[in-house]
Amino acid sequence: PLKPLPEDKPTRHVRAAELTASIASVEADSDVRLCSAVVWWAKGSALGGEELQQAAEVKGPQLLKELTQSFAARGAYKGWTESLSSGGREVGSLALESFAAALEKPEIAKALAKVGKRIIDAIVQFTKRHGQRPEARFCIERLLFERVRAALGADADNTTVFDMVRQTIDEQYGDILGPPPPPGDGAAPPET
């Protein structure tokens, strides 16, 4: 789905995104399309139980996460933001999960931090309408972390920056987002 086929008719201009190595290796073979490579086993493959479990629990989700990150780099975050601002619970939940997957990659988090205020406002609106979600706090933490990190420079200690971000979130959004997760539950500063 990432490389156009000759019969594809583009409906709008989209910036090209750099594919991750695992997606590019699947897409390099014109006989194998990414969706087929990830989902083919669902209809019965020749893989053994252990290989099938590896594909279902590790490789498939990892490829989907990388695909989501690629979509974010190509501008999908705009639709996700709109879905959070005005969409229903189900659509907004999917958008929030997409943001969480995309923001796990530091390069995506740095890029989205530039429009972080808009995304954070949409997440807060969604949370006010539909209740607390752990992904909401995670996304806001990652966006604010990259924003503060950019302002302070590379010399700032990640743990100090993360603690500042957490304190700011608790002061501004604590009643909306709820308490932070307990230590060891995704509560570490992101890798940069």
Side-chain angles (χ1 to χ4, degrees):
L2 297 179
K3 288 185 180 178
L5 295 174
E7 65 269 8
D8 289 344
K9 304 257 189 280
T11 57
R12 64 182 177 88
H13 175 71
V14 181
R15 279 189 302 141
E18 191 171 311
L19 299 178
T20 61
S22 56
I23 292 175
S25 67
V26 171
E27 289 290 322
D29 183 357
S30 61
D31 292 335
V32 180
R33 303 294 289 163
L34 179 63
C35 287
S36 297
V38 173
V39 182
W40 62 272
W41 52 265
K43 293 194 174 193
S45 73
L47 293 178
E50 189 175 310
E51 292 171 315
L52 188 58
Q53 183 175 1
Q54 179 75 7
E57 294 178 1
V58 179
K59 291 181 181 178
Q62 182 60 35
L63 279 173
L64 292 173
K65 184 183 293 185
E66 291 173 7
L67 188 60
T68 301
Q69 292 167 346
S70 174
F71 286 159
R74 297 175 88 189
Y77 71 90
K78 296 172 189 173
W80 301 340
T81 304
E82 183 63 30
S83 296
L84 288 169
S85 295
S86 59
R89 181 182 183 101
E90 294 79 14
V91 173
S93 294
L94 287 173
L96 195 55
E97 290 172 10
S98 296
F99 267 122
L103 292 170
E104 285 183 19
K105 187 171 186 174
E107 295 83 8
I108 300 292
K110 286 177 189 171
L112 293 181
K114 295 174 185 171
V115 292
K117 173 87 169 104
R118 192 174 323 145
I119 296 170
I120 290 170
D121 289 346
I123 292 171
V124 169
Q125 284 178 342
F126 175 80
T127 305
K128 284 179 179 177
R129 283 193 324 272
H130 301 292
Q132 295 175 353
R133 300 273 313 230
E135 297 94 347
R137 180 177 273 275
F138 172 83
C139 292
I140 292 173
E141 282 178 357
R142 292 304 183 251
L143 290 167
L144 283 179
F145 177 85
E146 292 301 338
R147 190 85 182 228
V148 171
R149 185 109 171 94
L152 294 178
D155 295 337
D157 176 53
N158 283 351
T159 304
T160 304
V161 172
F162 189 68
D163 290 341
M164 289 171 38
V165 164
R166 279 221 147 155
Q167 183 178 357
T168 301
I169 290 172
D170 288 340
E171 291 170 3
Q172 292 183 4
Y173 308 113
D175 57 328
I176 298 166
L177 299 176
D185 191 24
E191 298 291 322
T192 54

